[in-house]
Structures are given as structure tokens and as C-alpha cells.
Amino acid sequence: MKARHALMLVLSTLLVALLGYAYLHSRAASPLQDPSSQGTGSLEIARANATTA
């Protein structure tokens, strides 16, 4: 493997890791990071109860 190929492999790996890190810490992934102990299921139940009451 040439040095240029190795460098491109390392840079592309770092780019993928950086994009993954940015996605997981973005607002788009916030449902994946729900800090509540009950998760999002309780939120859906609460919304359903609020609309039927």
C-alpha cells in the first residue's frame, strides 16, 4: 500500500467518525438520547391521554 493510499484511508476513517459524532450529538438524534428512565413510550401515552381527555 502506498503512503498516499494509507493517508487517504486514515483521513476517510476520521471523516466518517467525525460525521457520526456530529450526528449523534445533533438535535436530529435527540430521541436517541432521551434521558428519562421511562423512554419515549411514556411520552406517547401522555400525548394520547391528553388528546382523548
Side-chain angles (χ1 to χ4, degrees), residues 27-41:
R27 291 178 178 251
S30 61
L32 300 175
Q33 302 170 351
D34 187 10
S36 69
S37 61
Q38 296 175 345
T40 58

Side-chain angles (χ1 to χ4, degrees), residues 16-36:
V16 169
L18 182 63
L19 290 174
Y21 177 83
Y23 172 73
L24 289 176
H25 288 83
S26 69
R27 291 178 178 251
S30 61
L32 300 175
Q33 302 170 351
D34 187 10
S36 69

